[in-house]
Amino acid sequence: MVEIKLEHISKKYVGAKGYSVTDFNLKIKDKEFIVFVGPSGCGKSTTLRMIAGLEGITQGGLYIDEKKVNDEAPKDRDIAMVFQNYALYPHMTVFDNMAFGLKLRKYSEVEIEKRVQNAAQILGLADFLKRKPAALSGGQRQRVALGRAIVRDAPIFLMDEPLSNLDAKLRVSMRAEIAKLHRSLKTTTIYVTHDQTEAMTMADRIVVMRDGEIQQVGTPREVYEKPVNVFVADFIGAPATNFFDVTLQDGYVKTEARTFNLAVPEGINKVLKQAGYEGKKLILGVRPEHIHTERAFIETFPSATVKAKVVVSELLGSESILYTKVGDSEFVSKVDARDYLDPDQIVELGFDLNRSHFFDPETKESIL
Amino acid sequence: MDTGMQDISKISKVLIGVVLTILGFLMILPFLWMFLSSFKTSTEISLSQSFWPQHWTIDNYKNLFTNGSFDIYVKNTLIITAASFIGLFLNAMAGYGFAKFDFKGRKFLFMAVLATMMIPGQVTMIPVYLILNQMQLTNTLLGIILPGLVGAFGIFLFRQFMSNIPDSIVEAARLDGAGEWYIFFHLILPISKPVLAVQGILTFIGGWNAFLWPLIIANDQKYYTLSVGLQLLQGQHTSDYGLQMAGSSFMVIPIIIIFIIFQKYILQGFNIQMDK
Ligand SMILES: Nc1ncnc2c1ncn2[C@@H]1O[C@H](COP(=O)(O)OP(=O)(O)OP(=O)(O)O)[C@@H](O)[C@H]1O
Ligand SMILES: [Mg+2]
């Protein structure tokens, strides 16, 4: 059982002008896989390092199992961490790298041997135990770093962009491997990444951060389906959400330049009107995968369609990405590969406004 | 075109080889001559011009220890050299501190350390002597050892090398449960082997050759080092070339041996680079 609680945690680096992390509140449940995600410099690593004890906490309280650990040394927090650059000890063999923490904690030779062999088995490192890190590939080094964390059997894992030095293919397979590892070990894990795909595929809950502040905490489904603001809607999902400045009028949203009108579904229209947005400006967010080319869809929602010109198109195998333009507004749609079109062709697109997001143009926060 | 280039590079390779061989031979010649002469009698050195000794003798070496006090000099030199290795260790610790710890005044202190490199040793010699005199350390081994114990250049080299060790290695070790001393001895020092080797060799050579400072500080023969003693041979036995050659050989040979053994590290260390 381990629970981590971050209460109003803030961090200001010595000599820095502003805060790198501001009022961070989060309760992490036992066995949870939490992912911190956000653009570069938003304070993910800083937060993680404060939890590890590698960085001091300026304000707020960090609790592990109800015990305040702000002032405890890293080694007393019993946390295992995987670093982005692996941080393997270059002069030690793979075996010794993994055994290092165990030796320091005075485990018996037999126990060390058993644990290291076991980890090596799980990670497919059995053949490399006698090698030095320099003689390993990036993926293998990454495994050693993971192995070093799992032999410790620590109740908490921290990982700071562990996959970002790997090539795309390896990243995908290691991603699955880490997820699998978490399923079997059930260690409470905090994983930092700026890759929203990693966040979506691995997390039990995602913490979306920006400029040192939490934007939203939720399951991957929640942050995808109910982004609390424009930033989250933009950051989660790929290709990114299309945003339109629109005005709500008589059940329609109209773009500024009146290039197109879309009928808003009854229920949503009612809510928007109740919130006082009739005749007012809104930001409409539509994900590329919610813009359709299927005939059936277009015929069902004939008043939510737009004829657009293809500017660029990418065929990704099973689907194609269309970059299209109507008047001044440009937007991206992700459609079936059969509907791949060459540039300059005209395509009729249906907007699924039931799954779209409406934001206040001032606060940028979600209205629905 | 291509083969032409290769021909040229082959020819130039041979040419460079030949030139280097000749130069190398020219370099070695005096040493060889010195070494061989140390096995000749003094009369043979003065009278005969031959390269090889005609009558091999080790009397010169015996004389070093019986007439001269080379046993004492060797002892002193060994003590000084050993002490300078303590200094090497202190340099390594200071370098590590500057490289990996964020403390108040770090930048200023490091600049201060570097600034000492700008002051020539000759300038500080007299002040240091006066200080030591006040501490009543003149004419003691400690007085010979202390001033040279730590040095800016050593600290600088260690710091440069250790800055290249990723912070995350140190942090990983802390999370693994290692204390700061453990990290220093079990991670930082082993990883720093290349600089340690170069610095070790430089330290050894420095200690072994220590001349000027021991000469200034030590009034008593019993604190003389090998180099000082060697100098003495010239004064006392002006004509005894055999003895001088033996003394010189005795001094140079350990250094040559060490150089040959650690050659690899020396080259590595001068080209300091960490791989990940
Ligand atoms: N040692 C430091 N001293 C001063 N400021 C720092 C320090 N480390 C990080 N910062 C600042 O704190 C902010 C957050 O940095 P942090 O490393 O946590 O970002 P991150 O979210 O991990 O970004 P990335 O995805 O690039 O790793 C940044 O603005 C950064 O410039
Ligand atoms: Mg980071």
Side-chain angles (χ1 to χ4, degrees), chain A residues 7 17 22 27 34 48 68 78 82 134 137 187 196 201-202 205 221 228 234 246 262 276 307 309 336:
Chain A
E7 269 185 357
K17 271 194 236 100
T22 324
K27 225 170 164 167
I34 292 279
L48 197 73
K68 191 166 180 179
D78 206 7
V82 179
S137 72
T187 313
Q196 62 89 30
T201 51
M202 301 172 89
R205 282 196 298 158
R221 182 174 285 268
V228 294
D234 186 36
V246 295
L262 302 168
K307 282 203 169 67
K309 193 163 116 180
D336 197 280

Side-chain angles (χ1 to χ4, degrees), chain A residues 44-45 84 160-161 192:
Chain A
K44 309 178 294 284
S45 300
Q84 178 174 358
D160 193 351
E161 310 210 20
V192 162

Side-chain angles (χ1 to χ4, degrees), chain A residues 49 85 89 91 105 152, chain B residues 168 171 173-176 186:
Chain A
R49 292 166 56 79
N85 63 358
Y89 312 129
H91 59 298
R105 280 164 212 267
R152 289 253 317 272
Chain B
S168 53
E171 290 171 347
R174 282 185 194 141
L175 284 167
D176 265 344
H186 289 83

